[in-house]
Amino acid sequence: MTMISQKQSMVSEADSARAGWRREDWTQVIERFIPGIVFVTLWWIAIRFNPSLSFYLSTPGDVATFLGESVSDSEFWRNVSSTMQATFISFFIGSVLGIAAGISVSLSPRVEAAIEPYASALNSLPRIALAPVFIAFLGLGTAGKVAVGVSLVFFVLYYNCRAGVKSVDPDWSMLARTLNFSKRKTFFSLLLPVTWPSIFSGLRLAFTYALLGVVSSEIVAARAGMGQLIMLYSAQFRMDAVYGTLIWMGVISGGVYWIAGRVEKRIMSWK
Amino acid sequence: MRAVEKEVSPDTEKACSVVLEDVSVSFSGNPGTKVLDNISLQIREGEFVALVGKSGCGKTTILNLLAGLIEPKQGNIRIHGKEAAEGREHIGYMFARDCLFPWRRAQKNVEMPLEAKGVPAEERRARARRELKRVGLGNFADYYPKSLSHGMRQRVAIARTWVLDPDILLMDEPFAALDAQTRLTLERDFLKQWAERASTVIFVTHDLPEAIALADRVIVLGKGKIIYDDKMPFGWPRDPETVLADPRFGKVFAEIRDLLG
């Protein structure tokens, strides 16, 4: 009896989700816009009362104009694509290396003992300090930025992976032993599925870190990129352009973060 | 108390699914104290044996020995008349916690032991589906463990244990984590399945009434030794609830409780 009623309640939940948007959903969306509207209003009021502030703060109108014009500004998008290209490359390389290192270290305590001290020392280093070194070796193009990005992304995945492997429930390992799982089977059917959620949340964070690494490196020195744009615009005191560029950055990396979240929800539907 | 038979003739050994001879186990950290102290024990084919005792008395250690999770310090273990490592082929082990993998649907959890044995996918699916039906979860094959109740999850775990058709079933307090009502239902269903399959069951519990109500034979362990070993007078088929009301239940219960102290 209880089973049947539980099943019915699940079905009815699914039905109501399919029924479309209700009033509460719309209220929720509107509520989400309130902080943004309040912020822009305060910004506008501040400049209204003290126009000289617009020298630092620019104005909502000017920033909006910049954003509008930037859409069709090919020079602007050349810089954006330079940054994004480097970000994706460092995201990819750093993730692959970090996951590989994290898992292999977790599988062998001896490798862990050998590598761990160096890993934690390197990870505590402020990576931006390495940017001049990487740029000196790899130049002002993509390679130098990618190196800084990789140096951040690698450790995010490395440590997330290790935390994931550690979250294997001892009872699950015991079950695997009583079922005579081979090493291979234990890896693919137990270790990897257990580690997946940590890897995924690592990947989500990693994109933000990749962007951080790349933009920092561009600010130190680069031929092109959004970091260079920000340096250039702020040197010229074009604050509307600085804020506009920052907003684009937020939109792009926030968008990727959001999409990753949706994908994660899909893949991790068992959670 | 019935005397524990010491001699094992080759004849009786054949009919025994599990034989322990002078087995001792001590833990590596503390070799002085023995978890099991020179234990000898024979369990017949198809017998339902409950192991009872206070925590730390070595109940679970016996199961772990049989499952091959630990090795005895001395003594000999034979399963189906063979060396333990060989005879262990068809053992099922069930724990107090369901140990379901949360990222696998119920069906896939039940298939798992078959995957490890290399059973082809088609057959795996059919067998897992059949077992789920037998535990009353035929309609829940595609559910993830998070959407199942406690009792349902334990049923999936039971299906996962039965799916290998084990001839020896090791159960470590399999119903301990359930509420009284669910527990009774699961106990009844389990007895029904056991009657259909003729497996040997070695059932660890620290719930004495449960042991008496379910088992053919109750063995009490104390300080690493067997301090009680006798058949239960209730016969088959039986219902765990009616056993509790049987006048003979009180007598057996009192006797064992006094031993446990």
Side-chain angles (χ1 to χ4, degrees), chain B residues 32-75:
Chain B
T33 40
K34 285 180 170 170
V35 186
L36 293 178
D37 187 3
N38 241 358
I39 287 216
S40 293
L41 178 67
Q42 297 131 41
I43 294 171
R44 278 188 300 105
E45 207 79 63
E47 206 169 16
F48 191 138
V49 178
L51 297 173
V52 236
K54 290 180 189 165
S55 38
C57 72
K59 300 172 296 214
T60 303
T61 310
I62 292 184
L63 296 193
N64 288 344
L65 275 172
L66 294 174
L69 296 177
I70 51 173
E71 290 296 322
K73 192 186 168 202
Q74 60 178 65

Side-chain angles (χ1 to χ4, degrees), chain A residues 3-4 6-7 10 169 171-172 174-181 185 189-190 193-194 269-271, chain B residues 69 93 95 97 99-104 112-113 115-116 136-137 139-140 143-144 146-147 152 155 160:
Chain A
M3 288 178 211
I4 292 165
Q6 192 173 345
K7 197 175 184 192
M10 280 166 187
D169 190 319
D171 284 359
W172 291 338
M174 180 131 123
L175 180 75
R177 281 178 66 197
T178 63
L179 292 178
N180 263 325
F181 271 21
K185 177 87 184 143
S189 289
L190 178 58
V194 170
S269 59
W270 55 268
K271 273 220 141 177
Chain B
L69 296 177
Y93 200 153
F95 312 100
R97 289 182 51 203
C99 284
L100 298 182
F101 287 2
W103 56 89
R104 284 175 170 240
M112 207 162 57
E115 287 169 19
L137 293 178
N139 293 327
F140 292 84
Y143 280 59
Y144 283 110
K146 68 159 184 195
S147 331
M152 289 157 96
R155 279 170 192 275
R160 185 187 59 202

Side-chain angles (χ1 to χ4, degrees), chain B residues 139-181:
Chain B
N139 293 327
F140 292 84
D142 289 334
Y143 280 59
Y144 283 110
K146 68 159 184 195
S147 331
L148 299 173
S149 72
H150 237 57
M152 289 157 96
R153 284 206 296 270
Q154 200 64 358
R155 279 170 192 275
V156 177
I158 292 176
R160 185 187 59 202
T161 316
W162 281 127
V163 79
L164 280 177
D165 282 321
D167 35 31
I168 300 172
L169 207 55
L170 310 174
M171 305 181 85
D172 192 357
E173 311 216 24
F175 307 128
L178 302 170
D179 64 273
Q181 192 53 50

Side-chain angles (χ1 to χ4, degrees), chain A residues 112-174:
Chain A
E112 174 172 10
I115 288 182
E116 184 44 34
Y118 296 98
S120 50
L122 277 176
N123 191 37
S124 57
L125 209 68
R127 242 53 52 78
I128 183 71
L130 291 178
V133 181
F134 287 137
I135 292 164
F137 275 106
L138 300 166
L140 293 169
T142 307
K145 311 177 197 179
V146 166
V148 182
V150 166
S151 75
L152 283 163
V153 170
F154 174 85
F155 288 100
V156 174
L157 267 306
Y158 175 78
Y159 282 111
N160 267 45
C161 233
R162 295 193 48 200
V165 172
K166 288 217 172 92
S167 69
V168 173
D169 190 319
D171 284 359
W172 291 338
S173 316
M174 180 131 123

Side-chain angles (χ1 to χ4, degrees), chain B:
Chain B
M1 173 179 167
R2 217 168 52 158
V4 183
E5 290 164 72
K6 274 276 176 211
E7 298 291 311
V8 186
S9 71
D11 251 11
T12 51
E13 190 174 334
K14 248 182 206 154
C16 279
S17 67
V18 172
V19 177
L20 270 70
E21 283 174 332
D22 303 320
V23 169
S24 294
V25 172
S26 48
F27 284 138
S28 47
N30 190 1
T33 40
K34 285 180 170 170
V35 186
L36 293 178
D37 187 3
N38 241 358
I39 287 216
S40 293
L41 178 67
Q42 297 131 41
I43 294 171
R44 278 188 300 105
E45 207 79 63
E47 206 169 16
F48 191 138
V49 178
L51 297 173
V52 236
K54 290 180 189 165
S55 38
C57 72
K59 300 172 296 214
T60 303
T61 310
I62 292 184
L63 296 193
N64 288 344
L65 275 172
L66 294 174
L69 296 177
I70 51 173
E71 290 296 322
K73 192 186 168 202
Q74 60 178 65
N76 191 12
I77 300 170
R78 297 182 75 77
I79 299 173
H80 298 310
K82 294 183 216 153
E83 285 297 317
E86 263 180 88
R88 195 168 282 141
E89 191 67 2
H90 292 291
I91 277 190
Y93 200 153
M94 200 176 151
F95 312 100
R97 289 182 51 203
D98 54 64
C99 284
L100 298 182
F101 287 2
W103 56 89
R104 284 175 170 240
R105 298 172 193 273
Q107 160 100 16
K108 281 285 181 185
N109 265 290
V110 179
E111 282 183 28
M112 207 162 57
L114 300 172
E115 287 169 19
K117 287 238 186 302
V119 175
E122 193 72 13
E123 186 189 337
R124 269 196 332 245
R125 241 169 283 146
R127 281 170 73 174
R129 218 175 296 133
R130 193 175 64 215
E131 292 305 329
L132 278 172
K133 238 177 239 155
R134 290 180 86 149
V135 296
L137 293 178
N139 293 327
F140 292 84
D142 289 334
Y143 280 59
Y144 283 110
K146 68 159 184 195
S147 331
L148 299 173
S149 72
H150 237 57
M152 289 157 96
R153 284 206 296 270
Q154 200 64 358
R155 279 170 192 275
V156 177
I158 292 176
R160 185 187 59 202
T161 316
W162 281 127
V163 79
L164 280 177
D165 282 321
D167 35 31
I168 300 172
L169 207 55
L170 310 174
M171 305 181 85
D172 192 357
E173 311 216 24
F175 307 128
L178 302 170
D179 64 273
Q181 192 53 50
T182 315
R183 182 173 178 162
L184 186 63
T185 322
L186 260 72
E187 287 170 351
R188 277 189 184 131
D189 288 0
F190 179 75
L191 286 184
K192 212 174 93 199
Q193 290 226 30
W194 174 67
E196 287 168 16
R197 304 209 195 212
S199 318
T200 308
V201 176
I202 305 171
F203 188 99
V204 160
T205 176
H206 57 229
D207 182 339
L208 187 50
E210 182 181 49
I212 299 172
L214 295 181
D216 275 328
R217 173 181 169 196
V218 173
I219 294 173
V220 182
L221 291 166
K223 296 196 176 131
K225 288 186 181 295
I226 295 175
I227 55 175
Y228 175 97
D229 181 353
D230 209 350
K231 287 222 174 280
M232 295 295 107
F234 308 106
W236 300 99
R238 64 165 83 150
D239 182 80
E241 214 172 23
T242 39
V243 170
L244 299 183
D246 193 301
R248 287 169 297 180
F249 172 84
K251 210 175 135 263
V252 178
F253 180 78
E255 191 187 341
I256 301 178
R257 193 197 46 207
D258 290 345
L259 277 172
L260 284 170

